């Protein structure tokens, strides 16, 4: 499976920025910042994001 960025995965799963922020218990502004710089996402939050979308972390590109 192709590796996509968190933003690409969010869109592929038809989730909004607000959906992701609420699922991770963070502000939408924080999620927007993390989508712009995925390497800033803490490991725990990256795991929560993957669980929320039902994907494995190995298919997400968290590099800048």
């Amino acid at each position: 499976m192709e590796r996509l960025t968190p933003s690409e995965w969010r869109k592929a799963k038809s989730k909004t920025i607000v959906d992701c922020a609420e699922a991770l218990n963070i502000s939408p502004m924080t999620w927007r910042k993390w989508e712009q710089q995925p390497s800033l996402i803490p490991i725990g939050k990256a795991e929560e994001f993957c669980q929320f979308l039902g994907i494995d972390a190995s298919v997400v590109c968290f590099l800048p």
Side-chain angles (χ1 to χ4, degrees):
M1 184 174 267
E2 183 180 357
R3 287 178 54 140
L4 302 175
T5 66
S7 176
E8 292 168 331
W9 271 114
R10 175 181 59 77
K11 293 171 187 171
K13 295 289 187 169
S14 300
K15 301 296 183 188
T16 66
I17 288 173
V18 173
D19 293 335
C20 291
E22 288 177 353
L24 301 179
N25 198 31
I26 59 173
S27 74
M29 183 179 286
T30 297
W31 183 253
R32 262 188 214 95
K33 182 174 86 174
W34 288 353
E35 279 195 359
Q36 293 171 358
Q37 294 182 291
S39 61
L40 297 178
I41 302 173
I43 291 173
K45 292 297 183 183
E47 290 172 349
E48 287 178 42
F49 172 71
C50 292
Q51 288 174 355
F52 171 63
L53 294 185
I55 57 175
D56 190 84
S58 67
V59 298
V60 183
C61 179
F62 292 102
L63 299 176

